[in-house]
Amino acid sequence: MPWRLLKYGLQSGHHEPRFFPESKPLKSHYDVVIIGGGGHGMACAYYLAKEHGITNVAVLEQGYIGGGNTGRNTTIVRSNYLTPEGVKFYDASVKLFEDLADDFDLNIFYSTRGHFTLAHTDSALRTMRWRAEVNKHYGIDSEVVDRQIIAQEVPYMDLDCAGHSPVMGALYHAPGAVARHDAVAWGYARGAYQRGVEIHQKTRVTAIRTQGGRVVGVDTDRGPIQCQKVISMVAGSTPRITEMLGLRTPIEIFPLQACVSEPVKPFMDTIVVSGSLHVYVSQSSRGELVMGASVDPSVLHSTRSSFDFVEGLADKMLDLFPFMSRMKVMRQWAGMSDITPDFAPIMGKTPVEGFYLDAGWGTWGFKATPISGKTMAWTVANDQMHELIQPFRYSRFADFDLVGEKGAASVGH
Amino acid sequence: MKLFDCPVIGRRPISEFDYFGEVRRPPVQADGSVAPDVWSDFVFNRAGAPGVLREWWYHRPTGRWYVMERDTLKDEVLRFIDIQEVRYELPA
Ligand SMILES: Cc1cc2nc3c(=O)[nH]c(=O)nc-3n(C[C@H](O)[C@H](O)[C@H](O)COP(=O)(O)OP(=O)(O)OC[C@H]3O[C@@H](n4cnc5c(N)ncnc54)[C@H](O)[C@@H]3O)c2cc1C
């Protein structure tokens, strides 16, 4: 053992550097208030400070940093979407992710795995070909692969699913990755804090005040704040915030559940998704199998987890990986997903001047954390929609101009 | 497992039901004069905040439709609604 470490260990009073300071009183005015201290809120604060020099910013979080969907997600990062708008946007995010650890000087455990979306039917395979072509057109590494390659790359999988629904092929996306969700939120938060942003945990926004159609401030459970710009980045709580302003949106909240198994030796270094069976799995760096499905069947504003979920998941998962019948589920949980009809987000300016929305992230928004922070910060700083998020504008529903992403987003988060 | 106390078929597991969302009335008019923004609001927008919703549920085994009033924060069915209550006439 190095001598210095031993000496340090024997000392009393170890000075652990804190990521964030103790909370302090709220100021009466900020230039920008961000509601929601998840990954998106922290990333937006970070880029506002770093790229636009806007530092009189408060992030208000009703609970703790990353305690919403960010800390509950299964961290799949990929860009193999279906629409050109989606592909360009998520590709920009993957590129930011790849440099994030350097940017933060913090290990975010970014691990490129390769991502298989299995097709069990002709029509699923057709969608995979479509996605592969759109992806390749935009320079993204995706291709349709046959059973032989899948068998090589994903050992122990029963490609015939016990005869129920044999795998016919898959969309393979080499850049598919996983990362450590807390580290992403914390890295952004620390970077924002170091540049002067205030982060207030246990601070809930209870109302948004407007005058003549524009934002003038927010009320919180710790008192009122004046501000001209408010950004809502609250995922599953979005309808509660938009209701404060009487803004109508297509967002509905459905619980999304996930679970992890007991840890086992590493045997799977890829991410496997089956759209037809509605399940997906990857193995974490601790050896646990991280597993999930699609959203619960009905609207619910709750993070309760259910037996129905694990039972339904196990039923399908055992078709793919029969040996899992001997494994135990360690933990299960749920988050509240803000789902839109076209499975694309709603971003940018709204009819209320000074109120910006970053929502509709449903089951797929973790991978967008860097790029939504960056494009939302740009949009707020310039009061003008960033070109990458123009297709995701609030008014697209009134324009009947949707971004149909369901074929690439509903199960493979 | 979650159970519904259905007035017609008794206590049934929720997994036997399919969910079809909020009961809503289309803004149809006899002369067809519905403004595009009224249509888009009807087609896309929803009452997304927590509260009491009237929703369609379909019982697969018996092929029957039901309307229930449900608290979407607590996930409690408050009552089964007589279809007559949500009935409306389409303009001729
Ligand atoms: C089980 C599960 C698995 C998922 N898997 C993936 C995946 O593999 N890949 C992927 O890309 N995405 C995935 N997602 C989706 C992803 O987690 C979210 O889209 C993303 O994390 C949203 O981040 P956010 O920062 O916008 O929201 P959140 O992390 O939810 O943060 C919002 C914050 O706002 C706070 N808040 C709410 N209301 C108020 C208020 N009134 N005042 C103050 N604060 C408030 C909340 O406390 C919360 O902390 C998954 C989600 C779930 C639930």
Side-chain angles (χ1 to χ4, degrees):
Chain A
M1 188 192 302
W3 190 231
R4 261 199 310 162
L5 185 61
L6 185 65
K7 232 171 93 183
Y8 183 74
L10 293 173
Q11 269 171 15
S12 58
H14 300 112
H15 297 290
E16 266 291 305
R18 284 190 70 88
F19 259 63
F20 319 107
E22 305 292 319
S23 77
K24 51 180 183 179
L26 287 175
K27 289 197 290 188
S28 62
H29 173 268
Y30 295 94
D31 295 337
V32 179
V33 162
I34 296 175
I35 316 176
H40 286 230
M42 290 310 176
C44 184
Y46 176 86
Y47 291 113
L48 273 174
K50 186 176 176 207
E51 299 189 341
H52 305 283
I54 301 175
T55 56
N56 187 18
V57 176
V59 182
L60 309 180
E61 164 55 52
Q62 66 183 6
Y64 58 93
I65 293 169
N69 285 356
T70 298
R72 297 161 195 271
N73 95 93
T74 48
T75 77
I76 295 171
V77 175
R78 63 187 175 91
S79 60
N80 58 352
Y81 277 75
L82 182 62
T83 66
E85 296 86 349
V87 168
K88 281 191 266 186
F89 179 78
Y90 292 108
D91 180 43
S93 209
V94 170
K95 293 198 170 115
L96 287 173
F97 255 117
E98 286 167 353
D99 292 334
L100 219 48
D102 273 349
D103 225 18
F104 293 165
D105 193 17
L106 180 73
N107 190 355
I108 63 160
F109 294 88
Y110 191 79
S111 163
T112 302
R113 299 288 184 88
H115 181 285
F116 286 91
T117 314
L118 307 177
H120 304 252
T121 60
D122 276 332
S123 64
L125 203 54
R126 207 175 316 127
T127 310
M128 299 314 160
R129 289 212 183 88
W130 178 5
R131 282 168 67 179
E133 290 312 315
V134 174
N135 287 191
K136 279 186 243 173
H137 185 73
Y138 289 96
I140 284 149
D141 191 353
S142 296
E143 59 184 317
V144 172
V145 294
D146 61 16
R147 280 171 61 102
Q148 219 175 340
I149 295 189
I150 306 170
Q152 253 167 39
E153 298 298 317
V154 191
Y156 309 108
M157 187 164 79
D158 177 4
L159 280 164
D160 291 328
C161 288
H164 297 315
S165 42
V167 173
M168 299 174 71
L171 178 67
Y172 177 65
H173 176 55
V178 289
R180 178 85 201 140
H181 44 36
D182 296 323
V184 173
W186 281 48
Y188 274 124
R190 182 174 67 175
Y193 164 70
Q194 284 169 344
R195 291 171 174 83
V197 169
E198 286 185 16
I199 298 165
H200 294 278
Q201 305 188 65
K202 293 189 228 150
T203 308
R204 180 200 296 265
V205 171
T206 54
I208 301 173
R209 279 179 287 119
T210 59
Q211 231 166 47
R214 56 165 308 131
V215 167
V216 294
V218 298
D219 289 340
T220 76
D221 54 4
R222 292 173 58 201
I225 296 173
Q226 285 175 356
C227 61
Q228 270 68 54
K229 293 184 174 183
V230 170
I231 317 172
S232 172
M233 305 183 121
V234 297
S237 301
T238 301
R240 303 181 207 212
I241 299 287
T242 49
E243 196 182 40
M244 295 174 184
L245 292 164
L247 272 185
R248 305 255 301 150
T249 78
I251 293 174
E252 289 185 295
I253 307 302
F254 290 84
L256 178 66
Q257 306 194 41
C259 64
V260 292
S261 72
E262 59 188 329
V264 290
K265 278 188 184 168
F267 72 95
M268 186 164 65
D269 58 3
T270 55
I271 303 161
V272 177
V273 181
S274 166
S276 313
L277 300 181
H278 299 282
V279 291
Y280 64 96
V281 58
S282 71
Q283 189 171 20
S284 78
S285 44
R286 284 196 293 247
E288 301 156 333
L289 296 181
V290 181
M291 297 176 279
S294 32
V295 293
D296 284 9
S298 54
V299 164
L300 186 63
H301 300 265
S302 163
T303 52
R304 63 98 184 86
S305 192
S306 66
F307 178 69
D308 290 351
F309 158 71
V310 217
E311 191 183 39
L313 179 92
D315 181 23
K316 303 292 183 200
M317 209 55 110
L318 293 186
D319 280 351
L320 280 176
F321 297 100
F323 71 88
M324 278 191 202
S325 64
R326 285 171 311 189
M327 292 178 71
K328 293 189 175 72
V329 169
M330 294 277 282
R331 295 188 302 281
Q332 64 177 98
W333 64 90
M336 295 190 289
S337 296
D338 38 336
I339 304 280
T340 56
D342 54 359
F343 286 70
I346 302 177
M347 299 180 73
K349 297 174 70 161
T350 68
V352 179
E353 225 180 298
F355 179 72
Y356 303 83
L357 194 58
D358 170 72
W361 287 112
T363 66
W364 56 87
F366 174 71
K367 70 180 67 61
T369 304
I371 195 64
S372 22
K374 201 175 167 97
T375 52
M376 285 299 294
W378 193 95
T379 299
V380 171
N382 295 289
D383 197 29
Q384 193 186 325
M385 292 285 281
H386 188 285
E387 62 170 335
L388 272 182
I389 67 171
Q390 185 65 29
F392 309 131
R393 69 196 178 279
Y394 173 86
S395 62
R396 75 173 181 274
F397 301 99
D399 301 342
F400 293 94
D401 186 16
L402 274 57
V403 187
E405 203 61 271
K406 186 169 182 180
S410 61
V411 180
H413 312 319
Chain B
M1 170 158 320
K2 238 188 125 46
L3 301 167
F4 280 155
D5 279 316
C6 176
V8 182
I9 50 173
R11 175 167 283 209
R12 308 298 314 169
I14 187 175
S15 55
E16 290 183 359
F17 290 81
D18 284 339
Y19 178 72
F20 283 85
E22 202 187 330
V23 176
R24 290 153 347 107
R25 186 171 291 210
V28 280
Q29 259 164 36
D31 59 359
S33 64
V34 180
D37 56 330
V38 176
W39 265 124
S40 67
D41 183 61
F42 170 75
V43 173
F44 299 117
N45 289 340
R46 295 291 181 271
V52 174
L53 276 191
R54 286 182 168 186
E55 302 165 314
W56 287 111
W57 293 82
Y58 174 71
H59 187 244
R60 275 190 314 278
T62 55
R64 267 189 82 124
W65 290 86
Y66 295 93
V67 174
M68 298 181 211
E69 239 171 44
R70 190 173 62 104
D71 182 328
T72 60
L73 193 60
K74 299 188 197 139
D75 201 13
E76 272 170 23
V77 175
L78 304 175
R79 62 184 185 115
F80 274 74
I81 291 189
D82 187 342
I83 297 285
Q84 293 305 320
E85 257 188 74
V86 294
R87 202 183 118 94
Y88 56 84
E89 300 286 335
L90 286 175

